[in-house]
Amino acid sequence: GTLSERNECHCGLNAPMLDSSISELFSAGPGYLNTASVGLPPKRALEALRSRIEEWEAGAADPSSFDPDVDRARAAYADISGTTIQRVGIVGQVSVASGLVASSLPCGATVLLAEEDFTSVLFPFLVDGRLEVRTVPLHRLIESIGSSVDLVAVSAVQSADGRVIDLEALASAAHDAGARTYVDVTQAAGWLPFDSEMFDVTACGGYKWLCAARGSGFMTVGEDSSWLVPRNAGWYAGDDVWGAIYGPPLRLAGDARRFDVSPAWFDFVTAAESVELLADVGIDGIYEHNLTLANALLSHLGLPPSNSAIVSLDTPHGRALEAAGISAARRAGKVRLSFHLYNTMEDVDLAASLLAVG
């Protein structure tokens, strides 16, 4: 079904779980509930990374040999984000993509933002004095998209508390208003099914739900990306990468590769393995698995189900979680727990036994 239909079902406690052997592809034991801060690498990503580090140590690392890793990561990311490799560029951080979008807008353009959003989405627009920036609470964002808005920028899933915006409603409202869209999918890609082609630009950091090393990341562009200026273009954005390392004229790639920044080589070694694994497992299955676990915890605590793999709780038992070896985070004054494909019901039971006290 559509994402809206998936969200309505809330993936109850009887939803199908991933095969338990999936968790065995990772090294972590029970209690890691902090993917929203840092995702865990699969064993195969670490093995590939160790091999490449040994090549580097021995003086045998060939820079061009990392290109296939970038290509594999790009193709796998296209798979899980519902697009083609021709629409996927590589970035290191979301703020780089945010700055590119902000700087590509004309002077006086009106940008609509959610006031609770992650600052890698907000700051590049707020710092650009050429732009007219409006901020509204997230729950009012979609209804605030009107004909005066030139671009709406927002995270698909809020970092602080896991709220999931209605992406289809966002795309529809922006289309009706003639506004462009920029969506940060860092807290979504890797577990939430979505169609990146609904939006003009999306961006994603690779080190959370994609389970890759920090320094890897992706952006996608819509069918018409002629309005975007590839201001970060360097040799890796060239039509012929290794033929674009010296001198004019400008000769950029004809597809989204023109937005590439030169890759952090070893980080993309991990991204190739990790994102391919996610694509092989299937995002629909990961979505159901993660929500089953998150909603099981909420049920244990007498709380209603949610549509997010992130659970945000106002609880005094944060220190008890830490003392028991459970990795979580404190965000916006609450305890934030997050469930991914390497988690099991054992993690739920462990956290619930501590959070349900008192």
Side-chain angles (χ1 to χ4, degrees):
T2 66
L3 181 56
S4 296
E5 289 169 344
R6 294 191 191 98
N7 287 348
E8 288 173 6
C9 80
H10 296 302
C11 289
L13 302 184
N14 294 320
M17 297 279 288
L18 294 177
D19 189 284
S20 59
S21 63
I22 296 294
S23 64
E24 297 173 3
L25 301 176
F26 297 81
S27 298
Y32 189 80
L33 298 176
N34 201 18
T35 297
S37 293
V38 181
L40 300 182
K43 294 175 183 177
R44 70 192 225 185
L46 293 177
E47 291 168 0
L49 179 59
R50 290 187 185 105
S51 176
R52 302 310 294 271
I53 289 175
E54 288 173 0
E55 290 179 2
W56 180 30
E57 183 181 25
D62 174 7
S64 65
S65 72
F66 291 94
D67 291 346
D69 296 303
V70 175
D71 293 341
R72 288 171 54 204
R74 193 193 310 269
Y77 187 76
D79 187 343
I80 69 170
S81 60
T83 189
T84 65
I85 58 173
Q86 289 78 19
R87 294 192 181 185
V88 178
I90 62 168
V91 294
Q93 292 81 28
V94 165
S95 58
V96 172
S98 301
L100 186 150
V101 172
S103 66
S104 295
L105 295 173
C107 184
T110 297
V111 180
L112 181 66
L113 306 171
E115 61 188 27
E116 310 98 310
D117 218 332
F118 198 74
T119 50
S120 290
V121 178
L122 302 180
F123 280 4
F125 296 99
L126 292 171
V127 77
D128 193 330
R130 304 173 308 110
L131 305 177
E132 297 291 332
V133 178
R134 293 170 47 200
T135 61
V136 298
L138 180 68
H139 71 273
R140 288 183 45 216
L141 185 81
I142 293 175
E143 68 183 43
S144 299
I145 302 172
S147 58
S148 64
V149 174
D150 296 296
L151 179 131
V152 56
V154 67
S155 295
V157 178
Q158 287 297 304
S159 171
D161 54 24
R163 281 179 294 166
V164 181
I165 197 167
D166 187 333
L167 292 172
E168 293 171 2
L170 172 67
S172 177
H175 178 269
D176 291 346
R180 298 194 187 278
T181 48
Y182 170 59
V183 181
D184 173 9
V185 295
T186 299
Q187 294 288 6
W191 74 269
L192 183 72
F194 67 93
D195 178 3
S196 65
E197 293 192 0
M198 294 192 298
F199 307 105
D200 290 287
V201 183
T202 74
C204 180
Y207 69 100
K208 296 180 185 287
W209 303 89
L210 297 185
C211 302
R214 183 172 173 85
S216 60
F218 305 89
M219 63 180 291
T220 68
V221 297
E223 183 176 3
D224 174 19
S225 58
S226 60
W227 61 282
L228 284 171
V229 181
R231 301 188 190 279
N232 303 314
W235 65 282
Y236 214 80
D239 183 44
D240 172 11
V241 168
W242 293 99
I245 55 178
Y246 299 115
L250 182 67
R251 48 201 188 277
L252 298 182
D255 58 13
R257 286 200 307 105
R258 69 185 180 276
F259 302 111
D260 282 6
V261 298
S262 56
W265 289 325
F266 297 100
D267 299 334
F268 274 90
V269 169
T270 70
E273 299 293 340
S274 297
V275 185
E276 279 188 347
L277 174 60
L278 297 174
D280 290 344
V281 173
I283 299 302
D284 283 344
I286 297 173
Y287 173 84
E288 293 173 347
H289 174 88
N290 292 6
L291 261 64
T292 296
L293 296 178
N295 287 335
L297 176 62
L298 291 170
S299 177
H300 276 298
L301 302 178
L303 297 171
S306 175
N307 65 341
S308 181
I310 298 173
V311 175
S312 179
L313 299 171
D314 188 1
T315 174
H317 300 303
R319 292 190 182 277
L321 293 175
E322 183 179 347
I326 295 178
S327 297
R330 288 186 177 273
R331 294 291 186 272
K334 297 184 179 183
V335 173
R336 185 187 70 184
L337 304 100
S338 39
F339 296 88
H340 205 12
L341 75 168
Y342 36 71
N343 293 119
T344 68
M345 278 295 178
E346 184 178 357
D347 297 301
V348 173
D349 294 340
L350 182 59
S353 67
L354 298 165
L355 292 169
V357 175

